Amino acid sequence: MSAAAGVVDAAGVIAWLRAFAAEVAARRDELTDLDAAIGDADHGVNMDRGMQAVAAKLPAGEAGAAGTSSGEAGPAGTPLGPLFKTAGMTLVSTVGGAAGPLYGTLFLEMGKAAAKRTTLTAAEWAGVVSAGVAGVRMRGKAQAGDKTMVDALLPAAEALREAAGSGASLAAACRAAADAAAEGMRATTPLVARKGRASYLGERSAGHQDPGATSTWLLLETAAATLAGGAAGEHTGGAAGEHAPGGLASGEGG
């Protein structure tokens, strides 16, 4: 996302995906601890493996690009659809469990929506994200309140769409989406899981923050931090204590 131009472009998408990969790597054990409480104890490991594979397939870019926190840029005029498709296909093929198909679907559907466009306004970006979320909901058959990544994704997409529709800047819209994802993530803690491995625990799944919703918050938070031009790791590190009580920040494993 190019903060200078106020649009989503290839340089920004590359910077965002690299920032997310770095954040997942830094928080791999914490994500796995969350999953150990209600799942297979592999979410952090699986997501780290998948995102490192995605990062390895991204264009190296050019140094010194304005508007990105990493100083890297994609080739000018690069279509966004293929970038998201590459990320999605890579996650499907490298991430085990439910996370691979679900995150893969998110990016694949975003790629279909972005298609050959090389830049996206805030409103167009909201549409692309909404398409990805719709794909996840269809693939996982999950609704809000099921204690899944949808509990963070859905409010984030809605906040992004509302902010963009009201004329907010791309940076402000992405910040609204990240904040909504944080609220959705926190709200999973008291829920009883109705989908996935956690649902096998029944009432015992209550009291634990959902790991998929947590990694989804990281996805939206790194988008907002990258757009703002700051270091994504610094931003999420500072926000984690505020947004992830009893889970990611505390190291209590949910």
Side-chain angles (χ1 to χ4, degrees), residues 79-94:
L80 298 175
L83 281 175
F84 289 123
K85 181 180 179 180
T86 295
M89 292 299 293
T90 302
L91 289 172
V92 168
S93 64
T94 59

Side-chain angles (χ1 to χ4, degrees), residues 68-141:
T68 68
S69 62
S70 67
E72 295 183 344
T78 298
L80 298 175
L83 281 175
F84 289 123
K85 181 180 179 180
T86 295
M89 292 299 293
T90 302
L91 289 172
V92 168
S93 64
T94 59
V95 178
L102 292 175
Y103 267 100
T105 296
L106 174 69
F107 285 114
L108 287 171
E109 293 302 317
M110 288 173 67
K112 291 178 184 178
K116 296 182 179 180
R117 284 179 286 185
T118 59
T119 61
L120 299 168
T121 64
E124 291 169 338
W125 175 238
V128 166
V129 172
S130 291
V133 175
V136 171
R137 294 181 71 186
M138 181 174 293
R139 182 65 182 263
K141 310 299 182 185

Side-chain angles (χ1 to χ4, degrees), residues 7-170:
V7 296
V8 177
D9 58 12
V13 169
I14 292 168
W16 171 40
L17 293 177
R18 290 192 185 281
F20 180 52
E23 195 67 16
V24 168
R27 300 183 181 276
R28 179 185 61 192
D29 292 344
E30 294 168 89
L31 289 169
T32 295
D33 285 346
L34 287 175
D35 197 32
I38 57 175
D40 293 327
D42 59 3
H43 186 65
V45 173
N46 284 342
M47 286 300 297
D48 183 31
R49 179 174 61 249
M51 286 310 301
Q52 292 307 311
V54 169
K57 292 188 177 182
L58 293 172
E62 302 171 359
T68 68
S69 62
S70 67
E72 295 183 344
T78 298
L80 298 175
L83 281 175
F84 289 123
K85 181 180 179 180
T86 295
M89 292 299 293
T90 302
L91 289 172
V92 168
S93 64
T94 59
V95 178
L102 292 175
Y103 267 100
T105 296
L106 174 69
F107 285 114
L108 287 171
E109 293 302 317
M110 288 173 67
K112 291 178 184 178
K116 296 182 179 180
R117 284 179 286 185
T118 59
T119 61
L120 299 168
T121 64
E124 291 169 338
W125 175 238
V128 166
V129 172
S130 291
V133 175
V136 171
R137 294 181 71 186
M138 181 174 293
R139 182 65 182 263
K141 310 299 182 185
Q143 304 296 325
D146 283 346
K147 199 182 182 90
T148 71
M149 65 189 293
V150 168
D151 287 301
L153 273 178
L154 190 58
E158 291 175 348
L160 181 61
R161 185 169 58 250
E162 290 176 4
S166 69
S169 67
L170 180 63

Side-chain angles (χ1 to χ4, degrees), residues 214-238:
T214 306
S215 59
T216 296
W217 165 66
L218 288 174
L219 179 72
L220 275 299
E221 184 66 30
T222 50
T226 302
L227 178 61
E234 293 176 2
H235 194 108
T236 54

